Structures are given as structure tokens and as C-alpha cells.
Amino acid sequence: MIRHATPADVPEIHRMIRELAEYEKSLDEARASEEQLHEALFGERPAAFAHIAETGDGEVAGFSLWFLNFSTWRGVHGIYLEDLYVRPGLRGGGYGKALLTELARICVERGYERLEWSVLNWNTPSINFYKALGAKPQDEWTVYRLTDEALTQLGS
């Protein structure tokens, strides 16, 4: 049901990223190309990793895309889950849980002490799903981001 993504999966991952962006009402912000995804996942120095969830008949049900982070307090790596997506018609079939279970397994196997991700505050179905798995919101933290003009201005 869960497998490592391959270069042949890049077009499908790209489609699902766009589906996710549309669901999150941010399709105009999803600018990554298939070429960029291929380089990030399978280039000379991969910056991210992905898993594919498949149905019993090989249909792609969803994906997870993640990268390593590092905790200065714990002194070890962790996994930051950038995207978890299961196609709407296949939700409730255990694919999201299976993807998260695989990432938790990798953390345990490698001695990583954190599996983290962000969720939009209005996404109640996902929040309820994560809480049911035992995940706890980090309410005392606020995410900040520099992009576009503000990033260019600060970095110039």
C-alpha cells in the first residue's frame, strides 16, 4: 500500500500537489514544476523524499512529501512533513494513516525524535484525524515566513 516514490511518479505527485493547493484555496501559489520536483526528489543531492499510497489495484491514492529537519534541543534529526494528501474519493480508507505510520517507522528506525507538520486552522477534518492519532498541536508557536519581495529585500 505504501512505497517509495520513483522518478516515474513525479507527474502524479505534481498533479496531487495542485489538487491539494486547490483544496487549500491557494492554487495560484503552487508554482513548482515537474522538473523542479524531479530535481528535489531524485537529483544529485535530493532535498526531499516522497512516498506513494496505492490502492490494491495500483491506483495512486495519495502521497507524502517530507524532508529532514534538526532539533538543537534534542540533538538529532526529525522529519518535517511538507505535504500529506489523499484523494477525496479515497479518504477514510486508511491511506493517510498508512503514510504517517511509515514516516513514524522511519523516525523510530533512525533514532529521529520528532515528526512534525503544519495544518491550516480551518481544516477541521485533518485536525481531527491528526488528534485521533495522538498528535498534539503546538499552539504556543506561530509560523513566520519570508517570500517574494520581502525575502528579496532582506537578502539583498
Side-chain angles (χ1 to χ4, degrees), residues 41-136:
L41 294 169
F42 304 106
E44 188 174 315
R45 294 185 315 181
F49 308 92
H51 285 85
I52 299 293
E54 290 183 330
T55 65
D57 62 1
E59 177 186 357
V60 174
F63 79 105
S64 63
L65 194 144
W66 56 277
F67 53 88
L68 295 180
N69 60 13
F70 184 81
S71 170
T72 57
W73 290 16
R74 300 271 179 124
V76 296
H77 282 293
I79 287 178
Y80 186 84
L81 175 60
E82 179 66 20
D83 284 330
L84 175 73
Y85 180 73
V86 175
R87 291 200 155 119
L90 297 168
R91 291 180 187 155
Y95 300 107
K97 183 176 181 181
L99 286 162
L100 281 171
T101 298
E102 176 61 13
L103 296 183
R105 185 196 65 74
I106 291 169
C107 286
V108 170
E109 177 183 275
R110 297 180 186 178
Y112 302 162
E113 295 188 16
R114 290 182 179 169
L115 172 55
E116 298 178 308
W117 62 91
S118 297
V119 61
L120 290 166
N121 292 333
W122 59 260
N123 194 345
T124 305
S126 293
I127 291 168
N128 291 338
F129 168 67
Y130 298 142
K131 285 182 177 179
L133 295 176
K136 298 191 180 354

Side-chain angles (χ1 to χ4, degrees), residues 130-144:
Y130 298 142
K131 285 182 177 179
L133 295 176
K136 298 191 180 354
Q138 301 298 296
D139 296 336
E140 67 274 12
W141 294 90
T142 300
V143 175
Y144 283 84

